[in-house]
């Protein structure tokens, strides 16, 4: 049995392993050898991992020894995987379900025809042009939803960001050694283009959601005036659906402007409730975790539907110090939901940055149980209700 990495090397417990769900992608970790019980590396083998489909939370990481000439690993959510009774198993648990996030397959040119017919209704819309790339090239579900007219639709708005996350999926330093999975949007979307897409979606999709702040962009709060005017224009024409913002929560005053403009819901991302671990990963420019917490508190006080987008990583999220900090925050600030998001990064690169736990971690199952015990809904997706 190979070792797993949970911040400390150990054998997975039976309750941490499930048969690999549909949509799981097995992956090898090049020039890395698996660590076996007993601690030795199996020289003639290559380490195995898996990438989970949406709706599952990773519980353990692959344990491996990196060879000196090993290439940097691209930004994926590497999960411990092994074969049990001739069947692939992964260390994961189901944490949410939604038809909208079930793995999708399209007949040849089916998606392209949805894109073409939607764009024909608004041919000069530059944001639709960007979303067409996101939908067809990156396979982004919320971009596809704009063309499929269902669920949560993407409204990317900001090329700039006031953070430099080590695992940013839209922009990486040239010397990072691995590319960002998506190219950061270059243009600043305008109010009219954003409002036209949002109105078409909210007026045609029951329980529709439109979300500013997507994987292909920077920080939307840096475009507060544009978003506020777009929200006002949308709400002047329809009360339907939900206007949501996905953000790093860095600018509480700007968030307050959007709340006054009519924002309904907000999802604020963080990798940790500890100031030092947060700063090490986000590398924030001109703000800190205290500002993020102030944004959460203000949105809760204003009655918004507030979710935290917790970037989870075994060995960090379930570190006893992290769980205690999470407990303290959730018992003081009543958010509606914690969405767990598997952090996409080379585990050894992340541990090198934020450190491994000084004590054996509590285990991801326990860390997630504690969130539920705080009376907070646990999941992975932004739901209409
Ligand atoms: S906050 Fe988002 S856009 Fe900004 S650096 Fe981090 S991941 Fe990238």
């Amino acid at each position: 049995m190979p070792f797993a990495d949970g911040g400390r090397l150990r054998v997975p417990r039976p309750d941490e392993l499930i048969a690999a769900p549909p949509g799981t992608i097995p992956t090898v970790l090049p020039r890395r050898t698996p660590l076996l019980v007993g601690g030795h590396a199996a020289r003639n083998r290559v380490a195995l991992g898996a990438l989970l489909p949406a709706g599952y939370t990773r519980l353990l990481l692959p344990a491996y020894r990196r060879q000196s000439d090993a290439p940097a690993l691209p930004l994926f959510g590497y999960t411990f995987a092994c074969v049990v009774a001739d069947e692939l198993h992964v260390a994961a648990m189901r944490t949410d379900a939604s038809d909208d996030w079930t793995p999708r397959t399209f007949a040849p040119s089916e998606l392209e025809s949805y894109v073409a017919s939607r764009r024909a209704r608004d041919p000069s819309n530059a944001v639709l042009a960007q979303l067409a790339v996101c939908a067809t090239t990156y396979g982004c579900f919320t971009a596809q939803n704009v063309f499929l007219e269902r669920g949560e639709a993407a409204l990317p708005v900001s090329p700039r960001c006031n953070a430099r996350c080590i695992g940013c999926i839209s922009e990486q330093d040239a010397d990072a050694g691995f590319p960002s999975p998506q190219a950061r949007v270059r243009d600043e979307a305008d109010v009219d283009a954003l409002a036209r897409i949002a109105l078409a979606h909210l007026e045609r999709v029951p329980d529709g959601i439109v979300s500013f702040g997507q994987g292909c962009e920077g920080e939307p709060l840096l475009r507060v005036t544009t978003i506020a005017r777009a929200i006002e224009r949308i709400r002047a024409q329809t009360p339907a659906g939900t206007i949501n913002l996905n953000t790093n929560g860095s600018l509480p005053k700007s968030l307050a402007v959007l709340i006054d403009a009519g924002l309904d819901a907000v999802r604020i991302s963080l990798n940790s409730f500890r100031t030092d671990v947060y700063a090490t990963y986000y590398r924030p420019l001109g703000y800190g975790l205290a500002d993020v917490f102030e944004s959460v508190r203000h949105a809760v006080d204003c009655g918004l539907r507030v979710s935290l987008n917790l970037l989870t990583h075994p060995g960090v999220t379930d570190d006893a110090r992290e769980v205690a900090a999470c407990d303290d925050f959730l018992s003081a600030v009543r958010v509606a939901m914690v969405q767990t998001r598997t952090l996409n990064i080379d585990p050894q690169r992340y541990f090198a940055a934020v450190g491994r736990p000084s004590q054996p971690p509590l285990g991801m199952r326990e860390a997630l149980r504690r969130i539920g015990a705080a009376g907070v809904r646990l999941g992975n997706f932004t739901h209409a209700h």
Side-chain angles (χ1 to χ4, degrees):
M1 167 62 85
F3 261 145
D5 190 344
R8 298 281 181 101
L9 298 183
R10 64 177 176 83
V11 174
R13 297 192 312 268
D15 72 339
E16 292 174 316
L17 294 177
I18 58 172
T24 298
I25 301 171
T27 183
V28 296
L29 309 179
R31 309 298 294 151
R32 290 162 174 86
T33 48
L35 295 177
L36 303 180
V37 174
H40 63 277
R43 295 187 190 291
N44 57 354
R45 288 165 53 186
V46 64
L48 172 73
L51 311 181
L52 301 173
Y56 291 83
T57 299
R58 169 183 59 182
L59 303 178
L60 288 166
L61 309 153
Y64 54 84
R65 179 164 299 149
R66 187 177 182 280
Q67 294 170 31
S68 58
D69 61 350
L73 291 178
L75 296 177
F76 289 119
Y78 303 98
T79 300
F80 174 85
C82 63
V83 175
V84 178
D86 294 333
E87 187 179 8
L88 183 69
H89 280 59
V90 292
M93 63 184 282
R94 175 127 217 177
T95 32
D96 208 338
S98 161
D99 291 345
D100 225 29
W101 290 89
T102 305
R104 294 175 182 171
T105 54
F106 295 98
S109 75
E110 180 190 1
L111 178 59
E112 288 72 12
S113 67
Y114 278 109
V115 170
S117 66
R118 177 67 183 83
R119 293 198 61 192
R121 286 177 12 225
D122 193 355
S124 65
N125 194 314
V127 179
L128 269 184
Q130 170 66 44
L131 289 167
V133 174
C134 297
T136 54
T137 306
Y138 305 141
C140 171
F141 277 32
T142 50
Q144 290 174 354
N145 287 348
V146 172
F147 303 106
L148 302 174
E149 297 189 324
R150 56 182 290 179
E152 180 184 0
L155 291 176
V157 62
S158 177
R160 293 177 298 118
C161 191
N162 57 356
R164 296 167 302 126
C165 296
I166 298 174
C168 179
I169 61 171
S170 65
E171 194 165 82
Q172 281 294 330
D173 299 339
D175 60 359
F178 52 87
S180 61
Q182 302 177 19
R184 174 81 61 83
V185 296
R186 285 194 308 278
D187 307 322
E188 295 200 337
D190 72 48
V191 173
D192 207 32
L194 293 163
R196 292 206 308 270
I197 294 171
L199 283 163
H201 194 76
L202 296 178
E203 288 172 346
R204 298 160 76 98
V205 178
D207 281 338
I209 303 172
V210 292
S211 288
F212 297 97
Q214 298 294 324
C216 59
E217 64 176 301
E219 175 44 44
L221 287 175
L222 298 176
R223 300 281 328 281
V224 58
T225 306
T226 296
I227 298 175
R229 288 173 51 204
I231 293 173
E232 286 156 359
R233 186 163 308 172
I234 297 163
R235 286 303 179 223
Q237 292 187 44
T238 182
T242 298
I243 302 178
N244 176 57
L245 174 77
N246 300 321
T247 171
N248 64 18
S250 53
L251 305 169
K253 291 193 174 53
S254 298
L255 179 59
V257 169
L258 300 184
I259 293 172
D260 294 345
L263 190 68
D264 302 305
V266 65
R267 187 188 72 180
I268 296 177
S269 294
L270 71 174
N271 69 315
S272 174
F273 293 85
R274 294 175 287 168
T275 303
D276 56 341
V277 178
Y278 179 92
T280 301
Y281 176 75
Y282 272 80
R283 302 186 295 184
L285 301 167
Y287 79 93
L289 187 57
D291 299 295
V292 177
F293 285 170
E294 187 186 335
S295 289
V296 179
R297 279 193 204 91
H298 182 66
V300 167
D301 293 347
C302 292
L304 264 70
R305 203 171 342 117
V306 179
S307 299
L308 297 182
N309 187 39
L310 184 59
L311 308 178
T312 61
H313 195 280
V316 176
T317 307
D318 57 346
D319 181 313
R321 298 164 295 178
E322 182 67 34
V323 173
C326 176
D327 278 352
D328 289 349
F329 186 81
L330 294 182
S331 53
V333 184
R334 306 309 291 169
V335 300
M337 186 180 194
V338 170
Q339 296 182 19
T340 59
R341 183 95 34 225
T342 291
L343 181 59
N344 289 350
I345 196 167
D346 176 346
Q348 292 192 355
R349 179 183 282 263
Y350 192 51
F351 282 133
V354 302
R356 286 183 178 268
S358 54
Q359 300 297 320
L362 305 182
M364 287 294 293
R365 271 189 172 279
E366 174 58 14
L368 300 181
R369 186 196 67 74
R370 298 272 284 265
I371 293 173
V376 178
R377 179 181 180 183
L378 189 71
N380 301 99
F381 316 125
T382 299
H383 295 268
H385 304 290

